[in-house]
Amino acid sequence: MSHRRGAVARIAAMSTGAALVLAAAVAAPVMAEESGTQEGPRAYPRAVHAPAQLPGAQQDGPGADRYRGPQPVVGGHEATGEVPFITALYTGGQFSCTASLVSAHWVLTAEHCVGSGHTVRVGSLDRESGGETAQVTEAVREPSGSDVALLRIDKDIDTEYAVLGEPGDVATGTRERVYGWGYTRSDWTQLADRLKYSEGSVYDDNCNVLGATLCLDNDGDTAGGDSGGPMLTGDGKLVGTCTAGNKPTDGSGFGAYSDITQYRDWIDETIAG
């Protein structure tokens, strides 16, 4: 996560005419004009927005061409307390995205993180050690084409799962916190070894950045590696997963998150199946 400059930085970024891309590990830039750019005083920055995955991470499936690029928390803070549901997602043995354990054997993440050869590490603040590991045996994409997916793992993990939000739990002005192991430098280099977080509020709950509708104004910027990571409300409910952020980060505290409360019925049905 990068340091924050607030609304002034957002306005400055808008004037640059840069591109918008998803926050994934291998995302190709998508121009803002092609992505439903919002105009007006609270428009999101016209800077590069990339999927918060890592460069070189393997992807497949219908969203693979749309979601290519990295994202982490630049600036922000290092996590110190337990986050038992936090999950590191690996593709072919390489860290690729952040995720959340939402039941004994299901992990919630971004659709653009889905590839093949996935494993997970659950419950550790350290990206490469600790916690409990498992193999991913199945990926289920949200059927309407959103940037949301569930991954089934090969064993039950007994811990405190993320509490999922309901429709109406998040709106413009909602205070929130986001977590991720994304890059720690504005040029998308140097992954965080230790989990990081940033805090702030939703400044637009209908911004539509590459399909994500929750745009944030935080004390750290979303970056590569943060993709799929959780957004929690002040009372600890998981209401969003990371889709996009600025590349390079600009200190505006920007991040774009998919509102998972819109897909709560699908999530419940998939987990129960």
Side-chain angles (χ1 to χ4, degrees), residues 19-32 34-35 48-57 59 63-71 112 188 210 243-245 247:
L20 287 171
V21 271
L22 292 171
V26 204
V30 177
M31 295 306 296
E34 299 172 356
S35 309
V48 177
H49 290 55
Q53 275 184 298
L54 305 181
Q59 298 170 314
D65 290 338
R66 290 186 297 144
Y67 306 124
R68 298 194 183 155
Q71 289 212 356
H112 71 262
W188 293 10
L210 302 174
T243 288
K247 179 188 178 184

Side-chain angles (χ1 to χ4, degrees), residues 65-122:
D65 290 338
R66 290 186 297 144
Y67 306 124
R68 298 194 183 155
Q71 289 212 356
V73 175
V74 183
H77 318 274
E78 189 172 279
T80 54
E82 291 186 357
V83 189
F85 57 83
I86 200 68
T87 302
L89 178 65
Y90 303 84
T91 304
Q94 177 187 5
F95 172 77
S96 55
C97 284
T98 305
S100 301
L101 188 71
V102 294
S103 77
H105 56 271
W106 286 99
V107 168
L108 181 69
T109 192
E111 189 275 339
H112 71 262
C113 293
V114 175
S116 58
H118 289 307
T119 57
V120 297
R121 182 183 305 280
V122 179

Side-chain angles (χ1 to χ4, degrees), residues 158-178:
D158 183 14
T159 188
E160 181 181 332
Y161 312 125
V163 176
L164 296 173
E166 303 277 356
D169 281 341
V170 61
T172 299
T174 297
R175 298 291 300 174
E176 43 69 28
R177 173 182 286 195
V178 300

Side-chain angles (χ1 to χ4, degrees), residues 32-265:
E33 289 75 10
E34 299 172 356
S35 309
T37 303
Q38 173 192 351
E39 301 296 345
R42 295 298 290 175
Y44 54 78
R46 285 184 177 276
V48 177
H49 290 55
Q53 275 184 298
L54 305 181
Q58 181 180 358
Q59 298 170 314
D60 61 15
D65 290 338
R66 290 186 297 144
Y67 306 124
R68 298 194 183 155
Q71 289 212 356
V73 175
V74 183
H77 318 274
E78 189 172 279
T80 54
E82 291 186 357
V83 189
F85 57 83
I86 200 68
T87 302
L89 178 65
Y90 303 84
T91 304
Q94 177 187 5
F95 172 77
S96 55
C97 284
T98 305
S100 301
L101 188 71
V102 294
S103 77
H105 56 271
W106 286 99
V107 168
L108 181 69
T109 192
E111 189 275 339
H112 71 262
C113 293
V114 175
S116 58
H118 289 307
T119 57
V120 297
R121 182 183 305 280
V122 179
S124 177
L125 301 183
D126 295 317
R127 178 167 51 85
E128 297 291 346
S129 64
E132 193 161 354
T133 59
Q135 299 280 333
V136 172
T137 59
E138 180 184 6
V140 183
R141 295 174 170 87
E142 194 282 313
S144 73
S146 71
D147 189 31
V148 177
L150 284 163
L151 305 176
R152 185 196 291 267
I153 56 178
D154 66 352
K155 64 181 182 182
D156 287 359
I157 295 181
D158 183 14
T159 188
E160 181 181 332
Y161 312 125
V163 176
L164 296 173
E166 303 277 356
D169 281 341
V170 61
T172 299
T174 297
R175 298 291 300 174
E176 43 69 28
R177 173 182 286 195
V178 300
Y179 288 96
W181 279 285
Y183 294 116
T184 59
R185 294 177 176 171
S186 64
D187 62 353
W188 293 10
T189 57
Q190 193 169 323
L191 281 173
D193 293 322
R194 187 88 168 171
L195 184 68
K196 298 190 73 176
Y197 70 91
S198 71
E199 298 176 311
S201 62
V202 178
Y203 76 78
D204 190 341
D205 65 3
N206 193 30
C207 58
N208 190 18
V209 176
L210 302 174
T213 58
L214 302 175
C215 285
L216 312 185
D217 183 5
N218 279 16
D219 59 3
D221 292 26
T222 294
D226 290 332
S227 275
M231 176 180 126
L232 307 181
T233 59
D235 57 357
K237 294 179 181 178
L238 195 165
V239 294
T241 51
C242 178
T243 288
N246 286 329
K247 179 188 178 184
T249 59
D250 61 3
S252 65
F254 179 80
Y257 282 66
S258 294
D259 181 357
I260 64 95
T261 69
Q262 298 179 26
Y263 315 110
R264 184 60 196 274
D265 288 346

